[in-house]
């Protein structure tokens, strides 16, 4: 067995071990200092690194330094050439100028050949860049000397064309084909000639847009060439040029299509948009084929195919919508574009790659979404406009449906034809979406869009007011009937329709009563279905509450009398909740009943006797609910309601005695405490009797201190004495402490006048002498008093 030494022995062993460790550490530190001194004294051989030092780390590598130097050299030479051309040009004659620039340009362009032969590739690239810059300066110098009188735009077009061809030929020569700069530079220069030729020929915006789009098409062909025939730098330059020139061309063509005033202008703009769409779709097709053939870049190529197909399809919509917009009235602009967007779905039946087909579908969805959103102002006013009648109820039936929704909200200045968008999109979703995953969502979207159209149509077409009431009512009935087999989204639509319908009926008293009655009946009739009860039952109760209020107002009842009618709703909610039992609809039903009860209390606030009656009836309903085993805590609410009812009734009788308000609380509370102590003898007296006793003793004590008469203090003292004696008899802490404290404070209040008189009769030194005597007495008996305090604490601690 392991021997465990005593603590003193173990401490001695630990101290010995620590002393040995400190001794060994001192020896090692001394040896290390001697070694360091010895090494520092030995001379180092030449070139040997110093101890504890590292060679400096270079902040850049040699190739980068080389490229920076070559770039700076090329830039400086180019600047020097520009200065020579612009400043020193006039000091030489024509022959001298031509000879200098020609020899310099040819020399610089020929320099990369021997440099490449010797393997100086970076230097060759730098010299090639300088040579290309010199050719551009040659073109400028030629214009300033020989072609000074020609048109600048035309010369710029010819010069950029010549430079692009010259740079491309220079980069494709056998001995300079290894250079990476000339051909991409030729591609970059090729972005300008067609646009400059169009500007020189004054072809107008249509010609400029066509030039930009043709340039973008040529760039697209270059960018989509396979890697062996076109290096990455060339394809990247062409891709940037395609997006840049193509974007400007599409923007110009789109503006021309939108501002076209006649069929001819619209047709020319549509032709430009079709050209741009063809380029995008061709690129999409090519990328889709590349994605199928190359698995390594398949994901990126598929994404590019989808993006280009989406752009191309949107351009087709712009082209077709622009053509249809011109002959049609202005109100039909959105439907025209929507028709083109829906027509894109015909691509689903064509032999298109998957990525291209997805691009067409998403483009169609985007067009349909934009068209649907354009109808949103009409929908918002039609659904939210009736809420304004809450400020002017029963002010008279409006003339038509539009007047019914524009009581405080103006009708938007949007054409009614915009309502075609949600209707068409609903049909498309219902008929064309067949995928098993998306089919339920599509049906839900179609249902919502059809509902929006139906709710907005009466006000949009200014139908009669009765039609504006009948359409939502029929929609609610149809939605509840359909919810029997498919709850979502029908039940949500039914509830959402009932709200604007209820407000829409507010202008007319008969319409209000009829609509609220119909809504209550419809939702109550749908409630027996278990899957609809959590929604339809609370909704029926809410409409029943509104019907009760409307009925009372129609009968010219005062609000406090209407409150009694409203209490029928919480009574029905309590009965229904008891019948439902443990059901997920129980809580919503009870919440609706509580809300109706609160409304009834609010209606009766102005009349105290009626408020007391309403509170008492609410207490009866709460007590009836507390009978259920799972709703026992509601009994506390019932007790509170009964107490409040009693207080309100006493206040209505102008009763000012505090005990009249507190005793109705104390007696039931003490009875409950007695019952609890019988059921659980170990329950604390503070929990059982504390609240009941404090409810009467403390308010009565406060009233006794402000009462100039002797009856209340005497009765309070008697009650406190009885409470104290009962607490001492049964060893209960709460009655003993509360009764004794109230008895002492009450006696102090009664003795206060005599103490004041006694204080005035005594000399001024008497209080100080009494205080000193008290301190001496307390100090002399301090220990004894502490023992007595401990005995008192133990005595009180032994109580319940």
């Amino acid at each position: 067995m392991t021997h465990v030494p005593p603590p003193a022995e173990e401490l001695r062993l630990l101290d010995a071990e620590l002393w040995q460790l400190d001794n060994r550490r001192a020896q090692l530190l001394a040896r290390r200092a001697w070694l360091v001194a010895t090494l520092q004294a030995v001379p180092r051989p030449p070139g040997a690194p110093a101890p504890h030092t590292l060679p400096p780390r270079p902040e850049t590598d040699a190739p980068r330094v080389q490229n920076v130097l070559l770039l700076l050299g090329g830039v400086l030479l180019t600047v020097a050439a520009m200065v020579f051309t612009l400043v020193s040009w006039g000091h030489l004659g024509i022959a001298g100028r031509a000879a200098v620039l020609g020899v310099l340009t040819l020399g610089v362009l020929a320099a990369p050949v021997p440099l490449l032969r010797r393997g100086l590739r970076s230097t060759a690239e730098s010299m090639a860049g300088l040579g290309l810059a010199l050719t551009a300066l040659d073109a400028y110098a030629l214009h300033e000397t020989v072609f000074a009188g020609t048109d600048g735009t035309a010369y710029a077009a010819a010069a950029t064309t010549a430079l692009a061809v010259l740079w491309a030929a220079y980069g494709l020569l056998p001995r300079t084909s290894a250079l990476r700069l000339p051909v991409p530079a030729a591609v970059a220069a090729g972005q300008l000639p067609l646009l400059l030729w169009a500007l020189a020929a004054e072809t107008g915006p249509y010609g400029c847009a066509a030039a930009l789009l043709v340039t973008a098409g040529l760039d697209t062909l270059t960018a989509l060439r396979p890697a062996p025939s076109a290096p990455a730098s060339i394809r990247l330059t062409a891709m940037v040029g395609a997006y840049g020139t193509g974007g400007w061309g599409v923007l110009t063509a789109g503006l021309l299509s939108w501002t076209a005033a006649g069929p001819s202008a619209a047709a020319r703009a549509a032709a430009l948009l079709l050209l741009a769409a063809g380029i995008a779709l061709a690129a999409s097709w090519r990328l889709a084929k590349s994605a199928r053939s190359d698995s390594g870049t398949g994901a990126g190529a598929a994404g590019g195919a989808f993006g280009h197909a989406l752009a191309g399809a949107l351009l087709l919509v712009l082209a077709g919508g622009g053509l249809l917009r011109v002959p049609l009235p202005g109100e039909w602009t959105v439907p025209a574009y929507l028709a083109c967007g829906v027509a894109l779905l015909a691509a689903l039946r064509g032999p298109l790659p998957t990525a291209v087909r997805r691009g067409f579908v998403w483009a169609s969805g985007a067009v349909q979404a934009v068209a649907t959103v354009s109808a949103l102002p009409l929908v918002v006013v039609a659904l939210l406009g009736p809420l304004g009648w809450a400020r002017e109820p029963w002010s008279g039936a409006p003339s038509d449906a539009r007047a019914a929704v524009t009581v405080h909200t103006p009708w938007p200045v949007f054409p009614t034809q915009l309502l075609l968008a949600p209707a068409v999109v609903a049909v498309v979703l219902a008929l064309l979406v067949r995928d098993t995953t998306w089919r339920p969502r599509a049906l839900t979207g179609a249902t919502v869009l059809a509902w929006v159209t139906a709710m907005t149509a009466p006000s949009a077409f200014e139908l009669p007011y009765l039609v504006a009431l009948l359409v939502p009512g029929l929609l609610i009935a149809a939605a509840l009937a359909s919810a029997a087999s498919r709850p979502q989204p029908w039940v949500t639509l039914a509830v959402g329709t009932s709200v604007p319908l209820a407000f829409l009926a507010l202008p007319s008293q008969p319409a209000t009563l009829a609509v609220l009655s119909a809504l209550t009946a419809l939702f109550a009739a749908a409630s027996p279905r278990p899957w609809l009860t959590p929604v339809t039952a609370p909704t029926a109760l809410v409409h029943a509450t509104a019907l009760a209020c409307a009925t009372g107002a129609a009968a010219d009842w005062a609000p406090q009398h209407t409150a009694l009618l409203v209490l029928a709703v919480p009574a029905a909610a309590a009965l229904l909740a008891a019948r439902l039992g443990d059901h997920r609809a129980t809580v919503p039903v009870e919440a609706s009943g509580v809300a109706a009860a609160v409304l009834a209390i609010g209606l009766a606030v102005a009349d105290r006797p009626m408020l007391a009656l309403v509170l008492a009836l609410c207490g009866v309903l709460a007590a009836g609910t507390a009978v259920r085993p799972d709703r026992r805590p509601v009994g506390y609410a019932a007790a509170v309601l009964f107490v409040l009812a009693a207080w309100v009734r006493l206040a209505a009788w102008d009763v000012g005695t505090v005990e009249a308000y507190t005793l109705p609380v104390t007696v039931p509370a003490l009875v409950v405490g007695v019952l609890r102590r019988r059921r659980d003898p170990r329950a604390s007296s503070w929990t059982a009797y504390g609240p009941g006793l404090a409810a009467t003793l403390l308010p009565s004590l406060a009233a006794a201190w402000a009462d100039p008469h002797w009856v209340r203090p005497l009765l309070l003292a008697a009650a406190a004495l009885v409470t104290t004696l009962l607490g001492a008899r049964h060893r209960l802490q709460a009655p003993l402490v509360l009764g004794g404290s109230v008895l002492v404070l009450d006696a102090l209040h009664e003795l206060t006048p005599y103490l004041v008189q006694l204080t005035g009769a005594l000399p001024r030194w008497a209080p100080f002498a009494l205080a000193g005597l008290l301190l001496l007495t307390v100090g002399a008996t301090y220990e004894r008093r502490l023992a007595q305090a401990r005995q008192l604490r133990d005595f009180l601690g032994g109580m319940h």
Side-chain angles (χ1 to χ4, degrees), residues 105-184:
T105 302
L106 292 176
V108 172
L109 290 177
V113 176
L115 292 174
L116 288 174
R117 190 181 303 117
R118 296 190 178 187
L120 302 176
R121 183 184 185 87
S122 299
T123 307
E125 294 285 354
S126 179
M127 296 301 295
L130 177 60
L132 298 181
L134 288 175
T135 55
L137 291 176
D138 289 341
Y140 169 77
L142 191 62
H143 176 265
E144 292 297 323
T145 56
V146 181
F147 301 102
T150 60
D151 179 60
T153 305
Y155 180 81
T160 52
T161 304
L163 288 176
V165 173
L166 177 62
W167 292 352
Y170 177 72
L172 296 176
L173 291 175
R175 298 196 176 181
T176 57
S177 59
L179 295 173
R180 292 191 295 263
L181 182 61
V183 178

Side-chain angles (χ1 to χ4, degrees), residues 402-719:
R402 180 172 293 184
V405 300
T406 56
V407 55
H408 291 298
T409 306
W411 187 255
V413 289
F414 289 92
T416 307
Q417 288 81 354
L418 293 177
L419 279 182
L420 287 174
V424 171
V425 175
V427 173
V428 170
L429 291 175
L431 297 180
L432 297 184
V433 180
R434 297 296 180 184
D435 184 72
T436 55
T437 303
W438 290 93
R439 179 68 176 171
R441 304 174 188 175
L443 291 178
T444 301
T447 302
V448 173
L449 291 174
W451 172 77
V452 165
T453 305
M455 289 291 292
T456 313
S459 55
F461 294 103
E462 300 184 62
L463 299 179
Y465 176 61
L466 181 60
V467 176
L469 296 177
L470 289 177
V471 169
L474 294 175
L475 287 176
I476 293 173
L480 292 176
S482 301
S485 58
R486 184 167 170 259
Q488 294 295 338
W490 297 108
V491 66
T492 305
L493 291 181
V495 175
T497 308
S498 66
V499 176
L501 176 58
F503 283 94
L504 197 62
L506 282 179
S508 172
Q509 177 179 317
T512 302
L513 297 176
V515 166
L516 291 177
S517 301
L519 290 176
T520 304
L522 284 173
F523 284 99
S527 296
R529 300 183 179 91
W531 55 89
L532 298 180
T533 307
V535 178
T536 54
T539 306
L541 292 173
V542 170
H543 289 303
T545 304
L547 178 61
C549 296
T551 303
D556 291 330
W557 290 359
Q560 58 269 23
H561 297 140
T562 305
L564 296 176
L565 186 59
V566 174
L567 281 180
V569 176
L575 294 175
L576 179 58
R579 182 178 180 182
L580 289 173
D582 188 10
H583 192 273
R584 59 192 184 97
T586 303
V587 174
V589 168
E590 291 176 340
S592 302
V594 171
V598 172
L599 176 61
I601 294 172
L603 291 174
V605 166
D607 190 348
R608 290 182 180 179
M610 190 60 66
L611 177 60
L613 178 59
V614 170
L615 289 172
L617 293 175
C618 291
V620 171
L621 294 176
T625 303
V627 174
R628 294 161 48 194
D630 57 336
R631 291 294 185 267
R632 296 296 190 203
V634 183
Y636 297 105
V640 171
L641 289 171
F642 283 130
V643 171
L644 289 176
W647 286 356
V648 172
R649 172 53 65 183
L650 292 172
W653 288 337
D654 295 329
V655 175
T657 304
V658 176
E659 289 74 16
Y661 295 90
T662 58
L663 285 177
V665 178
T666 296
V667 174
L670 292 178
V671 172
V672 172
V674 170
L675 296 176
R676 179 170 183 180
R677 288 275 296 177
R678 287 181 180 179
R679 188 171 58 251
D680 183 13
R682 302 190 62 181
S684 173
S685 63
W686 288 103
T687 304
Y689 305 122
L693 293 174
T696 294
L697 292 177
L698 298 182
S700 296
L701 178 62
W705 274 63
D707 193 347
H709 304 288
W710 59 271
V711 179
R712 186 192 300 273
L714 180 60
L715 294 176
L716 177 61

Side-chain angles (χ1 to χ4, degrees), residues 272-284 312 315-316:
L272 294 174
L273 292 173
L274 289 175
L275 174 60
I279 296 172
L281 293 176
S284 174
L315 291 173
L316 290 177

Side-chain angles (χ1 to χ4, degrees), residues 27-108:
Q27 294 177 359
L28 294 176
L29 289 175
R31 181 63 179 174
R32 180 182 181 278
W34 180 83
L35 292 173
V36 170
T38 302
L39 290 176
Q40 290 177 353
V42 176
R44 295 190 303 270
H52 305 292
T53 60
L54 296 176
R57 182 176 60 87
E59 296 183 356
T60 185
D61 52 3
R64 292 183 180 180
V65 174
Q66 166 190 299
N67 293 334
V68 170
L69 294 177
L70 293 175
L71 177 62
L72 291 176
V75 169
L76 292 176
L77 289 176
T78 303
V79 171
M82 293 175 62
V83 171
F84 169 76
T85 305
L86 297 176
V87 178
S88 302
W89 186 259
H91 299 287
L92 299 175
I94 296 178
R97 300 170 188 173
V100 170
L101 280 179
V103 171
L104 181 61
T105 302
L106 292 176
V108 172

